[in-house]
Amino acid sequence: MAPHELRRPFKRPAISDQQRRRDLALIRQTQQRSDSQNRARRLASSLFDLPSHSFPDACQADFPDNVDVGYAMALEQSPELEASSPTVRHLDFVQASKLKGSAARHWFARQLMLTEWMIDVPPNLDRDWYVFARPAGKRCFVVSSNGSTVSRLRNGSVLHHFPSSLPNGARTKEISAPSHVYCILDCIFHEPDQTYYVIDMVCWRGYSLYDCSAEFRFFWLNSKLSETGACNPPSTYHRYRFSVVPIYDCNRIGLHKAYTGGFAFVKDGLLFYNRHAHYQTGNTPLALVWKDELCSQYVLDTDSEGHVPAEQQVVLELQDDGKLTTSDDPPILFGCLEREIIQKSSLQAGNFLRFSVIDECVRIVDGKLELGDLKFVGKANRARAFADSYSKVFFQYTARHSPLQFQDLIASLDQNLDENSESNDMEMID
């Protein structure tokens, strides 16, 4: 379909509270950065005996430009904001790499930044977001340290143990480095061409990029990775090739390139990253995935045999009191399992359970999805590390009934252009 045929005179209205959670996430990361700066100032003050009044205890968070300050102050009082504590992510990866068995799997399974599924089109998509095609494959962390490189899957288990041209990724004179030098890359392993496609850079030569914006991380990714030879073809001390995924500004041109362009890999949807977003572990609404039938084989979830079931299925985690929750932080409650079923099926807290969703019992109230009655199917695959996220359940429901279409993304961009044009016209009036 030609690009001009996709233009729409309207933008699909929001049906969820995803934008509210995006605002919360931006405020939270601003507060965390300010808190870190204040801790550093207080430390410097105590070390050098500087007057304490030089560094006030309370931090004045400067909210992002695209968040209304009055609205932001109201969000600060939100229970969601108070309930979500900062993730402890500064455990040394070199030390963590020495963990064994389930301890290692458990730790590494909680280090990836996990995208939410796009339910509503974010405002200012063309100004605040990047877009790129998502390679089909296995999402993983790649860590190079102590002369070796290890990749770990989403559930924390080891995928490959190999030499690479990443800094300190192999035992050669050219690549080896002191023990404090290590790198962490967020990748997708694409099986057909045996390539690690790098979608984010978390640490580089021991320097943390967690608190850097996506704009800066992507700049470093594109400038630093090619310097190492990691993008070269495989060799004796470089078993797998690494490649950077083309990243575009999310304007009309960039969106069409990501959606319709040809790539060296099989495509599995589109990824959208907010350019201001830090790298935070766990689910975040500042990184989004979107799919349709033209850019992904797997828009709807399939069963164990690869078939799309007649009813939507969800995987939830069983809690001690029988409650069924998502993988979000804080978790979203979607139901409760009767004690009789728990005992009869020998279920335990922490089990991931599969349920069928009864469409007639689903409601969307004030932007939130309520599932109503759920039909117990059985235990989920043992290899799973997480239950489904709230946004995935929501996306899967709308994909079956009223999918967010590519035309809606284009319409959002067009409306932003119209609004900017009107604003400029008004400014020119004397």
Side-chain angles (χ1 to χ4, degrees):
M1 186 176 289
H4 70 273
E5 295 176 3
L6 296 174
R7 187 179 180 93
R8 270 187 164 187
F10 62 89
K11 181 170 68 173
R12 169 174 161 147
I15 62 171
S16 76
D17 66 343
Q18 194 168 45
Q19 180 56 38
R20 178 176 180 274
R21 289 184 282 109
R22 274 191 287 270
D23 291 341
L24 283 168
L26 285 169
I27 294 169
R28 187 181 299 116
Q29 75 174 23
T30 302
Q31 291 177 333
Q32 290 174 1
R33 181 174 63 238
S34 298
D35 290 345
S36 298
Q37 291 172 346
N38 278 319
R39 283 195 295 272
R41 292 189 184 108
R42 286 195 291 270
L43 177 60
S45 176
S46 63
L47 288 175
F48 294 103
D49 253 347
L50 295 176
S52 59
H53 60 77
S54 299
F55 307 101
D57 291 336
C59 68
Q60 298 292 329
D62 48 317
F63 297 104
D65 294 337
N66 60 335
V67 177
D68 178 73
V69 175
Y71 179 48
M73 296 302 290
L75 290 179
E76 281 190 280
Q77 311 305 320
S78 168
E80 295 177 31
L81 194 58
E82 296 175 2
S84 181
S85 58
T87 305
V88 180
R89 59 172 184 248
H90 295 294
L91 173 63
D92 195 315
F93 265 83
V94 176
Q95 296 176 355
S97 64
K98 298 176 183 177
L99 296 173
K100 304 295 182 183
S102 60
R105 290 194 299 272
H106 182 81
W107 193 84
F108 278 98
R110 281 151 180 79
Q111 302 311 308
L112 281 171
M113 181 170 77
L114 305 177
T115 58
E116 283 199 8
W117 292 67
M118 184 187 287
I119 306 167
D120 296 320
V121 182
N124 301 320
L125 190 64
D126 55 338
R127 189 175 68 201
D128 292 336
W129 294 79
Y130 294 111
V131 62
F132 51 101
R134 183 194 186 279
K138 299 175 180 177
R139 179 82 180 279
C140 55
F141 251 150
V142 175
V143 181
S144 65
S145 66
N146 294 322
S148 181
T149 307
V150 178
S151 58
R152 287 182 177 269
L153 298 171
R154 275 189 58 177
N155 63 7
S157 61
V158 173
L159 175 61
H160 296 135
H161 196 152
F162 60 101
S164 76
S165 294
L166 295 173
N168 217 357
R171 297 188 183 279
T172 67
K173 285 185 178 181
E174 296 79 12
I175 301 173
S176 60
S179 59
H180 67 274
V181 173
Y182 62 94
C183 297
I184 307 168
L185 302 177
D186 188 342
C187 302
I188 295 174
F189 182 69
H190 188 251
E191 191 78 33
D193 60 2
Q194 295 287 287
T195 297
Y196 281 95
Y197 286 94
V198 187
I199 62 173
D200 213 332
M201 179 179 282
V202 184
C203 290
W204 186 253
R205 300 189 67 86
Y207 294 100
S208 172
L209 301 177
Y210 277 103
D211 292 330
C212 298
S213 67
E215 187 171 25
F216 182 82
R217 297 198 310 274
F218 291 160
F219 168 76
W220 263 50
L221 172 59
N222 281 281
S223 61
K224 297 295 183 182
L225 191 66
S226 59
E227 297 174 359
T228 65
C231 298
N232 294 340
S235 59
T236 304
Y237 295 103
H238 182 60
R239 186 169 300 169
Y240 296 100
R241 179 173 174 264
F242 288 78
S243 182
V244 177
V245 178
I247 299 171
Y248 307 105
D249 291 324
C250 195
N251 51 34
R252 259 181 155 264
I253 296 174
L255 191 56
H256 274 287
K257 283 184 178 179
Y259 185 64
T260 63
F263 298 94
F265 51 81
V266 178
K267 196 186 308 180
D268 185 24
L270 301 183
L271 289 173
F272 297 79
Y273 274 52
N274 187 294
R275 64 174 66 238
H276 308 293
H278 297 175
Y279 194 98
Q280 67 175 67
T281 58
N283 298 320
T284 174
L286 300 179
L288 303 170
V289 61
W290 173 86
K291 299 181 181 183
D292 73 358
E293 290 79 5
L294 293 179
C295 68
S296 175
Q297 290 181 279
Y298 307 105
V299 179
L300 297 179
D301 283 346
T302 58
D303 57 23
S304 58
E305 298 178 353
H307 303 302
V308 176
E311 297 177 323
Q312 179 185 352
Q313 295 191 353
V314 299
V315 175
L316 302 172
E317 183 175 359
L318 180 64
Q319 304 297 329
D320 289 327
D321 52 4
K323 291 180 179 178
L324 301 166
T325 60
T326 65
S327 61
D328 302 271
D329 183 17
I332 306 299
L333 177 65
F334 266 147
C336 192
L337 201 60
E338 296 177 0
R339 186 172 298 276
E340 181 181 347
I341 297 177
I342 295 175
Q343 294 174 346
K344 183 178 179 180
S345 304
S346 301
L347 302 177
Q348 297 179 348
N351 285 160
F352 298 123
L353 309 179
R354 187 175 296 277
F355 297 86
S356 289
V357 176
I358 302 174
D359 283 347
E360 293 76 13
C361 300
V362 177
R363 299 190 307 162
I364 299 176
V365 180
D366 296 329
K368 294 185 178 180
L369 187 72
E370 297 179 358
L371 295 186
D373 291 337
L374 295 171
K375 186 163 55 179
F376 180 52
V377 176
K379 288 185 179 181
N381 192 313
R382 294 180 60 184
R384 289 188 71 113
F386 304 98
D388 287 341
S389 66
Y390 170 77
S391 65
K392 180 181 179 181
V393 177
F394 208 141
F395 180 92
Q396 289 291 311
Y397 176 76
T398 57
R400 285 171 172 264
H401 301 279
S402 178
L404 181 65
Q405 299 178 345
F406 185 71
Q407 293 95 321
D408 298 315
L409 303 179
I410 293 295
S412 176
L413 296 177
D414 291 342
Q415 180 164 322
N416 289 341
L417 285 174
D418 293 341
E419 290 174 352
N420 291 336
S421 177
E422 290 176 6
S423 176
N424 292 334
D425 290 344
M426 292 177 64
E427 288 177 1
M428 293 176 65
I429 296 175
D430 290 331

